[in-house]
Amino acid sequence: MTAYTVGALGGALVIARWRPRSRGWAAFAGLAAYGFAPLSLVLPVHPVAIVVAYAVAGIGIELFNVPWFTATQREVAPDKLARVSSLDFLVSYGLAPVGLALIAPAVGAFGTAPVLAVCAAVCFLVPAGAALVPTARHFSRTAPRPAD
């Protein structure tokens, strides 16, 4: 958890200065990096690799969070922002206990390695699929204007 937190702080510092050309795609790549955490628990790796995987997950989550929250504030009408943010947090954090409650029976039924492998695959594939949405590239309803 310390590696994850240090990674998240580092990711926040990076994204505070970095302005990627395709901010949405960069954000989704960061979100996909979270998949390295469960993947590191599946593979027979040195414990240091697990710590590094969690640091990478922390970096990635902030590379996603900062542009996501910024885009939400920029793209959603002010009178609807509270509702949209509430739904975002409900899905992002409110459903986490459901997933955690389902993990134990899944591990009992299928084993630890398959469940972690599916978790890693979902972490990699869902952001990749989301990046295919046409407006995802820039986290905007319209493409940015070219620089003068």
Side-chain angles (χ1 to χ4, degrees):
M1 293 312 302
T2 301
Y4 179 86
T5 302
V6 170
L9 290 170
L13 291 173
V14 167
I15 200 63
R17 306 291 283 163
W18 181 40
R19 300 289 181 258
R21 196 172 200 125
S22 300
R23 76 179 74 141
W25 286 355
F28 282 125
L31 186 59
Y34 197 86
F36 290 110
L39 185 62
S40 72
L41 298 173
V42 172
L43 301 174
V45 296
H46 193 275
V48 171
I50 297 171
V51 172
V52 170
Y54 273 83
V56 168
I59 292 167
I61 204 70
E62 288 308 312
L63 292 180
F64 174 79
N65 277 341
V66 173
W68 176 257
F69 291 130
T70 303
T72 302
Q73 292 175 10
R74 182 184 63 246
E75 297 293 323
V76 175
D79 63 320
K80 302 218 179 4
L81 185 59
R83 287 187 193 125
V84 170
S85 294
S86 295
L87 287 171
D88 177 22
F89 276 82
L90 174 66
V91 173
S92 299
Y93 301 107
L95 295 179
V98 175
L100 291 173
L102 294 175
I103 284 179
V107 167
F110 305 108
T112 303
V115 171
L116 286 170
V118 168
C119 288
V122 167
C123 288
F124 290 130
L125 295 174
V126 169
L132 297 176
V133 173
T135 55
R137 180 176 184 178
H138 300 289
F139 270 174
S140 176
R141 288 177 278 176
T142 59
R145 287 179 286 179
D148 295 327

